[in-house]
């Protein structure tokens, strides 16, 4: 990943961890809206929401990172992003337990994810940086939303 | 206002004419004695020539002129239509097409075609010299000198009724130079005998002009026959004495040529390409925009209806209802604008089959029905390639050679039948050939060879044929130039599925194969029935819904394995959507069954509650959800939430597969 | 007030050209794509001249001329038909049917204006 300059990052909280989303890809941040459950969908993307007349899939990154998934509360937000799904540009929403702020992230301070000892799949993590005293995880959105497995065949979406 | 380039209009018109020309030529091959067809061919050529010249497409005009000359012999009965003539005529048509699209590039290639055309048509008689449309030839050299003319004229008796205005003639003379005009009233009848449409007056005009005699004659060019006209030079520039009443030498009456009675035995033309009323060409993007606006309107109106329903305000409800009616009408009209008859594609295929049959040396009867079946414009466009591929397969691999066929007792020419028909919410397009059919064993073997199927797996025949749609799968023994590489069918399937349709193959070994495409009628807005299953709400396209019944409690409680309903004597399989969607909430006491159909097959969908009808704007699902079975899209309901749209075709397929397994299980 | 010219031709490109040319010259132009529609327009509105192709499917130009001339409102209205040079017999027939004048195809814009001005004035 890029190692120079800064990235404007939106910090969101998921089960106690902090994740950085590229602010440029964020279209809007919504309060919780009614979520329509899609039957037989993969747990990672099991919902659909209405964003200004568009039907947008709702994804839960907590699935990919093997986290607990409690019911939403009054802090829960939906971050609507422009991302690539299966290689094509699309819009999707992701659940966030908390939304913090938008701040500059020095890319030079970001390190590659450790090859061992990390409890998440390495290919879902682009790097780990620092936000104040805390670690901030930069997820690999392309990989997470990719509809193919590493060998090119479609795979079940789940963590580790 | 956008400026339209006349050349573009001509090109579009030329394309239409060339299509019509091609159809006429193909029809002529079947029916060489039809004067009507020869006439329509000729007319198309004539218009192409004329319009081409008008808009600067000179090569087109020149080429068509030669083509037309040759065809004129046919029209006059001096040459016959035979397959050779049709073949070369089609080549000539292709050439004209190239000339229209890229003038200047292809001109030279026209010569050999014209040569061949002339040869075929020549029956010994010498060719008539091409009659070029030229401006009227001048006979007299212009007289630059100023001259004075005495012009005396009387109009033919019907001239006034037929639109000749003597005042305008006088104006024209005045434009040539200063005039002195005198009316000649010597032939005026008494008032009571006067006919208002008859011309009784004459005029004498003394004109000084340097334009020459010809210019004077030109003024009267339209009425020369049957009029009295005298043009004589006057010696001096001084005005001549006023005309006497003596009748001057009349030229007109004797100049009238006897009009040759042209052939009036033209048959009334009843072409199948009748132009009904006036029509409009609209850029496709504008239609798309219109559709988007209408789509948004439908959603907004839907929400208004919900709000109005919930409020107690009678006036609000009334307006909401009115809006619903209007939005519905607008939607229907807009949808219908986008509908075009599939016949526009069929014409193209005729030519392709004609070429194919010549290339492969197989005689093919190509029969089409349902040309007038209408589909959304974009669907029709996207169908072209898949259909081409399927038809090619039929002709190339399905049909046997003439020798093989007669050996089997089949008629020599193979038949490929293409049909399109509306069926509920769908259009069914089928391509049937009476060829050798599919070899289930070969397909099975190939599937196992490719690792797609394990040798002991049990699958139904329709499922087996679906393997033909796998990329790279081809059981063709040889790869011909046209097909057999296995590149096509997977793309065909993807295209059809991209149109939210499905594709099936049925076959009888030795007798033939049928490929059936089913496509939804509209892409964007449908009328839907809203149902509840557990906590989720789903929409079913209303045109697929046949009826709704209650699920008898005893049926529900029987052991699984008995998933059939008795509907007026027929057994209809039913699917529990609760099971399909793995719904965990407790079921409704009295469940409902919505009987839906796709083509000839029906299935009952068991739901918890039927909520009513709504207009549904179809939104497609992202790749994250598009593979999920049973769902074909999503929509936004009046309350702003998202509901999923059920894929009736797939669900019917499940019901059918289930039924078959049951049957196979029983038979085993 | 500008004069109204009705043009009847099954060729959209010719209709367009006639319409643009004559409008630019100050005429009001009505269009019809076939004889039947042309007839309805001709008797339904006040036209100062009619331009018609002869070679059309459905009701051809000759039939149009005959039918229109049979209607009283056609009295005095000039009808100009489109023809190619070689169609001399057809010219005679058209005139006998009631045509006033003709224009030879292919024609240029100024020729068209000249002929319309000739029969209908400006």
């Amino acid at each position: 990943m890029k190692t120079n300059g800064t990235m404007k990052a939106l910090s969101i909280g998921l089960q106690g961890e902090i994740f950085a989303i590229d602010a440029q890809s964020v279209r809007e941040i919504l309060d919780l809206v009614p979520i329509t459950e899609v039957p037989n969908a993969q747990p990672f993307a099991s919902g659909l929401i209405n964003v200004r007349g568009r039907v947008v899939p709702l994804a839960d990154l907590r699935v990919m990172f093997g986290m607990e998934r409690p019911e939403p509360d009054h802090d829960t937000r939906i971050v609507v992003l422009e991302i690539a799904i299966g290689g094509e540009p699309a819009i999707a929403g992701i659940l966030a337990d908390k939304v913090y702020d938008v701040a500059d992230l020095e890319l030079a301070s970001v390190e590659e994810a450790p090859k061992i000892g990390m409890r998440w799949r390495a290919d879902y993590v682009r790097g780990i940086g620092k936000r104040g005293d805390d670690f901030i995880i930069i997820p690999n959105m392309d990989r997470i939303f990719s509809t193919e497995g590493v060998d090119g065949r479609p795979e079940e979406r789940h963590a580790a | 206002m956008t400026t339209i380039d006349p050349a573009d209009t001509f090109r579009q018109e030329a394309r239409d004419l060339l299509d019509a020309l091609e159809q006429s030529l193909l029809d002529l091959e079947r029916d060489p004695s039809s004067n009507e067809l020869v006439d329509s061919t000729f007319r198309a050529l004539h218009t192409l020539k004329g319009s081409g010249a008008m808009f600067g497409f000179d090569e087109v005009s020149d080429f068509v002129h030669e083509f037309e000359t040759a065809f004129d012999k046919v029209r006059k009965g001096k040459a016959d239509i035979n397959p050779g003539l049709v073949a070369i005529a089609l080549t000539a048509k292709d050439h004209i097409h190239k000339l229209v699209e890229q003038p200047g590039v292809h001109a030279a290639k026209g010569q050999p075609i014209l040569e061949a055309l002339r040869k075929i048509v020549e029956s010994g008689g010498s060719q008539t010299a091409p009659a070029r449309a030229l401006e009227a030839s001048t006979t007299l050299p212009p007289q630059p000198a100023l001259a004075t003319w005495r012009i005396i004229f009387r109009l033919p008796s019907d001239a006034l009724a037929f639109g000749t205005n003597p005042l305008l003639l006088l104006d024209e003379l005045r434009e040539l130079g200063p005039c002195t005009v005198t009316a000649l009233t010597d032939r005026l009848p008494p008032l009571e005998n006067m006919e208002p449409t008859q011309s009784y007056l004459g005029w004498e005009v003394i004109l000084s002009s340097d334009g020459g005699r010809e210019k004077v004659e030109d003024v009267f060019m339209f009425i020369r026959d049957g009029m009295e006209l005298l043009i004589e030079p006057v010696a001096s520039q001084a005005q001549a004495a006023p005309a006497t009443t003596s009748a001057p030498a009349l030229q007109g009456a004797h100049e009238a040529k006897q009009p040759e009675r042209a052939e009036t035995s033209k048959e009334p033309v009843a072409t199948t390409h009748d132009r009904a009323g006036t029509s409009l060409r609209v850029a496709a993007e504008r239609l798309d925009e219109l559709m988007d606006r209408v789509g948004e309107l439908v959603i907004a109106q839907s929400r208004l209806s919900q709000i109005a329903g919930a409020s107690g305000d009678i006036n609000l409800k009334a307006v909401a209802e009115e809006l619903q009616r209007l939005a519905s009408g607008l939607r229907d009209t807009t949808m219908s604008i986008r509908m075009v008859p599939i016949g526009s594609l069929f014409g193209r295929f005729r030519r392709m089959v004609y070429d194919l049959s010549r290339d492969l040396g197989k005689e093919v009867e190509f029969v089409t029905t349902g040309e007038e079946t209408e589909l959304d414009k974009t669907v029709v466009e996207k169908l072209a390639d898949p259909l081409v591929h399927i038809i090619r397969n039929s002709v190339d691999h399905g049909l046997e050679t003439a020798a093989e066929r007669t050996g089997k007792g089949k008629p020599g020419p193979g038949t490929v039948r293409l049909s399109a028909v509306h069926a509920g919410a769908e259009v069914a397009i089928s391509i049937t050939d009476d060829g050798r059919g599919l070899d289930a064993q070969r397909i099975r073997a190939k599937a196992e060879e490719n690792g797609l199927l394990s040798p002991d797996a049990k699958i139904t025949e329709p499922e087996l044929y679906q393997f033909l749609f796998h990329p790279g799968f081809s059981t063709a023994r040889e790869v011909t130039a046209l097909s057999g590489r296995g590149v096509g069918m997977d793309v065909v399937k993807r295209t059809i599925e991209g149109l939210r349709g499905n594709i099936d193959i049925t076959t009888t070994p030795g007798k033939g194969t049928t490929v059936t495409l089913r496509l939804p009628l509209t892409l964007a807005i449908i009328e839907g029935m809203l149902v509840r299953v557990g906590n989720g709400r789903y929409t079913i396209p209303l045109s697929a819904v046949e009826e709704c019944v209650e699920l008898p409690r005893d049926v529900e409680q029987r052991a699984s394995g008995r998933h059939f309903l008795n509907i007026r004597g027929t057994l209809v399989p039913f699917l529990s959507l609760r099971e399909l969607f793995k719904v965990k909430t407790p079921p409704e006491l009295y469940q409902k069954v919505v009987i839906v159909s796709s083509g000839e097959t029906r299935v009952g969908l068991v739901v918890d509650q039927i909520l009513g009808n709504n207009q549904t704007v179809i939104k497609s699902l992202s790749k994250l959800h598009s593979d999920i079975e049973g769902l074909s899209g999503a929509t936004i309901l009046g309350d702003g939430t998202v509901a999923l749209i059920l894929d009736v075709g797939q669900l019917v397929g499940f019901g059918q597969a289930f039924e078959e397994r049951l049957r196979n299980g029983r038979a085993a | 007030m500008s004069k109204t010219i009705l043009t009847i031709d099954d060729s959209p490109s010719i209709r367009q050209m006639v319409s643009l040319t004559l409008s630019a010259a100050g005429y009001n132009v009505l269009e019809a794509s076939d004889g039947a529609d042309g007839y309805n327009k001709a008797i339904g509105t006040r036209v100062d001249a009619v331009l018609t192709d002869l070679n059309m499917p459905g009701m051809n130009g000759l039939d149009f001329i005959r039918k229109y001339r049979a209607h009283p409102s056609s009295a005095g209205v000039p009808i100009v038909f489109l023809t190619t040079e070689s169609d001399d017999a057809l010219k005679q027939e058209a005139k006998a049917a009631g045509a006033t004048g003709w224009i030879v195809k292919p024609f240029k814009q100024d020729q068209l204006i000249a002929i319309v001005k000739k029969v209908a004035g400006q």
Side-chain angles (χ1 to χ4, degrees):
Chain A
M1 69 176 275
K2 265 201 317 181
T3 46
N4 297 354
T6 57
M7 169 175 104
K8 267 203 157 29
L10 169 73
S11 302
I12 62 171
L14 291 174
Q15 294 304 293
E17 303 284 349
I18 307 184
F19 288 78
I21 308 289
D22 185 352
Q24 285 201 328
S25 66
V26 175
R27 278 167 74 108
E28 53 193 299
I29 301 174
L30 306 172
D31 285 343
L32 203 55
V33 293
I35 302 171
T36 298
E37 206 186 292
V38 181
N40 296 331
Q42 38 177 324
F44 162 62
S46 65
L48 289 172
I49 56 174
N50 170 7
V51 177
R52 299 180 195 293
R54 280 181 85 136
V55 172
V56 171
L58 184 62
D60 192 346
L61 293 180
R62 299 175 302 186
V63 172
M64 305 311 264
F65 291 93
M67 298 168 165
E68 299 276 325
R69 288 178 281 143
E71 289 299 308
D73 61 18
H74 59 270
D75 284 332
T76 309
R77 299 283 181 273
I78 296 176
V79 180
V80 182
L81 301 172
E82 284 171 2
I83 45 151
I85 297 182
E88 284 173 14
I91 311 254
I94 57 174
L95 280 170
D97 291 334
K98 261 176 146 62
V99 168
Y100 294 109
D101 55 17
V102 177
D104 285 332
L105 180 64
E106 288 291 331
L107 291 170
S109 73
V110 173
E111 297 188 358
E112 266 189 36
K115 298 231 180 345
I116 48 167
M118 192 173 68
R119 59 183 195 274
W120 308 307
R121 266 173 71 150
D123 57 340
Y124 291 165
V125 178
R126 278 170 79 189
I128 303 190
K130 286 217 85 178
R131 177 178 175 270
D133 289 332
D134 300 308
F135 286 110
I136 184 165
I137 302 148
I138 300 156
N140 185 337
M141 296 303 250
D142 284 346
R143 190 75 203 87
I144 291 171
F145 277 91
S146 141
T147 48
E148 291 178 351
V150 280
D151 49 6
R153 285 202 287 157
E155 60 165 27
E156 277 287 303
R157 316 257 75 223
H158 53 66
Chain B
M1 190 176 107
T2 51
T3 45
I4 311 157
D5 181 8
D8 279 340
T9 313
F10 169 73
R11 264 188 224 110
Q12 186 58 63
E13 185 183 331
R15 282 178 210 131
D16 290 343
L17 283 168
L18 288 169
D19 281 342
L21 179 64
E22 188 174 73
Q23 295 304 311
S24 291
L25 288 170
L26 289 170
D27 284 334
L28 263 177
E29 210 207 1
R30 291 163 162 263
D31 185 9
S33 59
S34 166
N35 284 329
E36 215 177 282
L37 286 171
V38 174
D39 278 344
S40 63
T41 304
F42 200 80
R43 247 205 316 279
L45 291 175
H46 197 73
T47 310
L48 269 170
K49 182 180 81 166
S51 300
M54 291 257 288
F55 294 94
F57 287 77
D58 291 326
E59 287 121 351
V60 172
S61 184
D62 290 345
F63 182 86
V64 174
H65 176 78
E66 301 290 338
F67 190 168
E68 190 190 27
T69 308
F71 231 82
D72 200 31
K73 293 209 168 182
V74 175
R75 203 162 72 122
K76 297 207 164 88
K78 295 200 184 117
D80 288 325
I81 304 278
N82 52 57
L85 174 59
V86 173
I88 189 70
L90 284 170
T91 316
K93 172 256 167 192
D94 289 340
H95 184 75
I96 299 172
H97 195 107
K98 289 195 195 118
L99 287 178
V100 169
E101 302 296 340
Q102 286 178 304
V105 173
H106 300 281
K109 305 193 184 117
Q111 272 311 108
I113 302 176
L114 290 176
E115 282 299 318
L117 195 53
R118 278 185 215 122
K119 268 211 196 72
I120 288 206
V121 150
E122 212 124 287
S123 55
S126 55
Q127 265 192 298
T128 48
R132 302 307 314 271
L134 299 168
E135 286 156 29
S137 53
T138 58
T139 44
L140 296 172
Q143 296 179 11
L146 190 64
T148 306
W149 304 92
R150 170 188 290 125
I151 304 153
I152 298 178
F153 68 94
R154 293 180 198 273
L155 303 179
S157 51
D158 55 7
L160 287 185
F162 285 178
T164 303
N165 186 340
L167 298 178
L168 292 179
L169 296 173
L170 294 173
D171 283 344
E172 265 188 87
L173 289 172
R174 285 194 192 97
E175 277 174 24
L176 297 177
C179 288
T180 313
V181 181
T182 317
L184 308 171
T185 56
D186 51 310
R187 295 201 195 160
L188 282 178
L191 187 58
E192 57 268 21
N193 296 343
M194 267 199 205
E195 292 288 340
T197 52
Q198 290 283 334
S199 166
Y200 303 108
L201 290 175
W203 287 269
E204 182 186 30
V205 179
I206 310 295
L207 163 70
S208 297
S209 164
D210 58 2
R213 187 197 182 88
E214 217 182 280
K215 281 234 158 70
V216 178
E217 287 179 343
D218 273 352
V219 170
F220 302 100
M221 65 186 276
F222 288 156
I223 45 172
R224 285 295 300 244
D225 310 330
M227 80 179 293
E228 296 176 19
L229 177 63
L230 168 72
I231 306 174
E232 57 184 19
V234 171
S236 68
Q237 297 233 359
Q239 288 188 4
T244 59
T245 53
S246 61
L250 295 172
Q251 289 183 353
H254 305 298
E255 275 190 16
K257 291 178 268 184
Q258 287 306 313
E260 290 157 25
R261 282 275 136 229
E263 292 287 306
T264 44
S265 59
K266 280 201 183 134
E267 288 148 37
V269 191
T271 60
T272 51
H273 322 290
D274 247 353
R275 290 151 210 266
T278 37
S279 58
L280 207 53
R281 282 196 178 274
V282 178
E285 302 82 54
R286 289 200 194 163
L287 267 187
D288 291 337
E289 262 179 63
L290 183 61
M291 276 306 311
D292 282 345
R293 296 291 91 75
V294 173
E296 288 176 56
L297 179 66
V298 166
I299 297 183
Q301 170 266 313
S302 204
R303 302 189 66 160
L304 180 65
S305 288
Q306 272 243 341
I307 297 173
S311 93
D313 190 335
I314 296 195
N315 290 329
L316 185 58
K317 282 189 184 169
V319 175
E321 223 177 272
E322 178 72 10
L323 256 179
Q324 161 132 15
R325 191 180 62 78
L326 291 170
S328 207
L330 184 60
R331 182 207 68 193
D332 286 342
T333 310
T334 317
M335 299 300 335
S336 70
I337 293 178
R338 292 180 58 100
M339 304 293 259
V340 295
I342 198 172
S344 53
L345 278 185
F346 286 9
R348 208 189 305 184
F349 296 151
R350 285 186 68 195
R351 179 64 195 275
M352 178 185 83
V353 172
Y354 172 90
D355 288 337
L356 260 183
S357 88
R358 284 169 79 90
D359 290 339
L360 296 174
K362 291 182 187 173
E363 238 191 290
V364 183
E365 272 272 320
F366 185 57
V367 181
T368 58
T369 51
E371 286 90 349
E372 63 289 348
T373 309
E374 289 190 336
L375 282 167
D376 186 280
K377 185 179 187 314
T378 23
V379 174
V380 169
E381 282 159 20
K382 294 203 175 139
L383 276 179
D385 285 344
L387 286 175
V388 162
H389 191 89
I390 297 171
I391 295 174
R392 276 215 166 119
N393 267 354
S394 288
V395 177
D396 200 6
H397 297 292
L399 294 179
E400 315 95 326
T401 61
E404 278 178 85
R405 288 178 67 88
T406 43
K408 290 185 194 174
K410 288 184 178 178
T415 304
V416 174
R417 193 176 301 267
L418 176 57
S419 81
V421 74
H422 279 306
E426 302 175 323
V427 173
I429 302 171
S430 63
I431 303 101
T432 307
D433 67 69
D434 65 348
R436 48 171 78 98
L438 294 175
D439 187 337
Q441 287 191 333
R442 288 246 317 277
I443 298 175
R444 173 113 206 181
K446 189 89 192 204
E448 289 175 12
E449 191 186 307
N450 287 5
L452 296 166
L453 192 61
S454 73
D456 47 320
K458 275 201 197 350
I459 55 171
T460 61
E461 273 207 359
E463 287 170 337
L464 177 63
Y465 298 135
Q466 289 290 322
F467 280 113
L468 288 169
F469 296 113
H470 271 254
F473 193 105
S474 172
T475 58
R477 288 209 173 85
E478 337 112 25
V479 171
T480 66
L482 300 169
S483 41
R485 290 203 188 86
V487 174
M489 281 312 246
D490 61 322
V491 177
V492 167
K493 180 164 189 199
R494 235 182 298 140
T495 309
I496 303 298
E497 290 183 340
L499 295 168
R500 290 188 298 109
N502 42 56
I503 178 168
D504 277 306
I505 306 186
T506 55
T507 185
T508 310
K511 291 265 170 65
T513 309
T514 301
V515 179
T516 307
L517 310 174
R518 269 182 219 293
L519 298 156
L521 262 186
T522 74
L523 292 182
I525 307 182
I526 56 167
E527 197 78 44
M529 172 181 276
L530 197 59
V531 300
R532 180 175 65 78
V533 179
N535 285 334
R537 286 178 296 170
Y538 302 87
T539 299
I540 306 173
L542 197 57
S543 37
V545 174
E546 292 201 347
E547 58 187 299
C548 301
V549 300
E550 241 186 43
L551 185 66
R553 298 220 42 208
D554 55 344
V555 172
E556 193 190 346
Q557 279 162 7
R558 268 183 225 163
S560 64
R562 290 286 205 153
H563 280 83
F564 283 85
L565 278 179
N566 190 330
I567 306 278
R568 295 180 295 276
T570 340
L571 287 181
V572 178
F574 65 83
L575 291 176
S576 165
L577 289 180
R578 295 179 62 84
E579 271 183 44
L580 188 63
F581 295 154
K582 305 191 176 64
V583 171
K584 309 245 178 355
T585 62
E588 235 6 76
L589 208 49
Y590 293 100
Q591 298 211 291
K592 312 283 181 301
V593 186
V594 181
I595 315 273
V596 296
S597 66
S598 169
E600 302 289 308
T601 342
R602 308 195 300 172
V603 73
L605 302 174
V606 183
V607 304
D608 285 321
Q609 194 184 1
I610 296 177
L611 299 172
N613 295 352
N614 67 343
Q615 277 191 23
T616 298
V617 180
I618 301 175
K619 306 273 182 189
S620 33
L621 294 170
S622 69
K623 281 192 178 182
L624 293 169
H625 297 132
S626 54
D627 283 337
I628 299 180
E629 291 183 324
L631 304 174
S632 73
T635 181
I636 298 183
L637 299 176
D639 63 359
T641 60
V642 177
L644 289 157
I645 303 174
L646 297 182
D647 187 335
V648 172
Q650 270 193 347
L651 294 171
V652 165
F654 290 162
Q656 206 179 11
F658 175 73
E659 213 178 334
E660 271 206 32
R661 262 191 279 274
L662 226 54
R663 241 185 256 131
N664 291 344
R666 267 196 223 124
Chain C
M1 209 177 79
S2 37
K3 306 222 170 176
T4 301
I5 315 293
L6 168 64
T7 163
I8 309 175
D9 202 313
D10 61 323
S11 158
S13 54
I14 297 208
R15 280 203 312 274
Q16 187 188 54
M17 189 266 223
V18 169
S19 193
L20 291 173
T21 306
L22 294 181
S23 306
Y27 295 95
N28 182 32
V29 183
L30 293 179
E31 293 184 30
S33 57
D34 60 63
D37 188 30
Y39 176 76
N40 290 334
K41 290 199 163 96
I43 63 173
T45 37
R46 197 187 145 258
V47 293
D48 296 295
V50 179
L51 249 45
T52 179
D53 192 9
L54 292 183
N55 178 30
M56 299 186 287
M59 186 195 284
N60 64 44
L62 277 183
D63 289 337
F64 162 77
I65 295 174
R66 286 187 196 113
K67 187 165 183 189
Y68 182 41
R69 281 297 178 214
H71 192 276
S73 69
S74 72
V77 177
I79 303 176
V80 175
F81 60 92
L82 274 46
T83 181
T84 56
E85 181 78 3
S86 56
D87 265 328
D88 211 50
L90 205 49
K91 253 194 233 170
Q92 295 297 337
E93 195 178 353
K95 284 195 57 192
T100 317
W102 58 84
I103 183 165
V104 177
K105 285 198 283 193
F107 52 86
K108 301 274 186 297
Q109 297 191 328
D110 50 352
Q111 289 174 288
L112 174 66
I113 297 177
I115 296 216
V116 171
K117 186 168 166 213
K118 180 181 180 51
V119 299
Q122 175 46 308

